[in-house]
Amino acid sequence: MLRQFPDDPLAFARLPATMTALELPDDVWLDAFGRAFVTCYELAAAAKGKARWADKNPENVLNIRHWDRLLCGQMIFVFVVRHPLDTLASMAEARMDRALPVDTEGRARHIASYLRAGLDQVARAPRRSVIARFEALVSDPAAALTHLLAGLGEAFEPAMLGAVEGQQQDRIEDPKFSRFGAISNANIGRWRGDLALETLAETVPILQNVMDELAYKAD
């Protein structure tokens, strides 16, 4: 269920709110929309001659059990993780107040809930889960992709990093990519300079459990 926020002028248009008004349980409407979503992706993949498709959406992790059921246990879960405190610092910069909590504690709990859902899925299906760390992806993309793709039964090809070499590609990218012009590791550890001591005192206890499981430190 996507989180609803107080004083949201678009609340009436949120799909979960609409389904709630229709008194449809989550598993019913998620399955109905999910089957149509999967069919569209399968048609698009077939049209391109592709053997598989992927969907990159952080909110998928909140409904991961539904996706696993819809895909009949054939889903491979790629869990991209980043130091939670760096994520917290990045959220402050993103200015997505309509989609994210506006208070620090709320943002920390938001991050923790996503990471917990992902960790639970990895525990349920370790053979169909691959953890990819942001820090590794931006520090040594070729090595990180080689490891990631091995978990998917695929081989790394240098052309996958064509964007780093300035090649034009048909893609939807992070808006910040144009600022850096290439994959950058400049934001690793940004929390040390961006987050005040008061913020750390408030948020680290909320994030501590998932940080421990992912071996991230707050020192």
Side-chain angles (χ1 to χ4, degrees):
M1 199 71 167
L2 302 182
R3 180 174 177 178
Q4 301 299 308
F5 298 102
D7 304 319
D8 181 358
L10 300 178
F12 70 93
R14 307 291 186 193
L15 182 59
T18 302
M19 296 301 105
T20 299
L22 294 176
E23 299 183 352
L24 289 177
D26 283 2
D27 58 345
V28 172
W29 71 263
L30 282 170
D31 279 6
F33 277 89
R35 283 192 296 271
F37 185 93
V38 169
T39 297
C40 289
Y41 266 70
E42 289 175 342
L43 292 171
K48 296 287 187 179
K50 302 297 184 180
R52 67 173 70 191
W53 57 269
D55 184 62
K56 174 184 174 290
N57 185 338
E59 289 166 348
N60 284 341
V61 75
L62 300 181
N63 300 310
I64 199 72
R65 290 194 179 195
H66 293 288
W67 285 118
D68 210 8
R69 185 180 67 257
L70 279 170
L71 296 170
C72 304
Q74 297 181 358
M75 178 188 73
I76 298 176
F77 175 46
V78 179
F79 187 28
V80 181
V81 300
R82 182 184 184 185
H83 194 304
L85 294 177
D86 279 340
T87 302
L88 186 64
S90 183
M91 288 170 72
E93 177 189 27
R95 304 297 302 168
M96 297 176 64
D97 294 349
R98 302 279 175 133
L100 299 171
V102 296
D103 62 296
T104 301
E105 178 182 346
R107 288 180 173 180
R109 294 193 185 282
H110 182 87
I111 294 168
S113 68
Y114 276 61
L115 291 175
R116 171 50 52 202
L119 286 166
D120 288 348
Q121 176 62 21
V122 172
R124 281 192 299 268
R127 295 185 179 181
R128 293 187 290 110
S129 302
V130 181
I131 296 179
R133 293 183 180 270
F134 169 87
E135 294 81 9
L137 287 167
V138 299
S139 296
D140 191 344
L145 281 177
T146 298
H147 171 74
L148 170 61
L149 291 165
L152 303 178
E154 302 287 352
F156 169 73
E157 298 180 9
M160 294 176 178
L161 291 175
V164 180
E165 300 168 359
Q167 298 176 17
Q168 294 297 317
Q169 296 189 14
D170 181 16
R171 64 180 184 267
I172 299 175
E173 65 187 24
D174 186 319
K176 290 185 289 187
F177 182 84
S178 59
R179 185 200 315 168
F180 292 99
I183 295 175
S184 169
N185 63 5
N187 281 327
I188 294 178
R190 63 176 296 179
W191 64 269
R192 292 184 174 89
D194 288 6
L195 301 182
L197 291 177
E198 295 81 359
T199 299
L200 294 174
E202 180 181 12
T203 57
V204 168
I206 298 171
L207 296 166
Q208 192 66 67
N209 286 341
V210 289
M211 287 173 60
D212 288 344
E213 289 192 48
L214 291 167
Y216 285 117
K217 304 295 183 181
D219 51 18

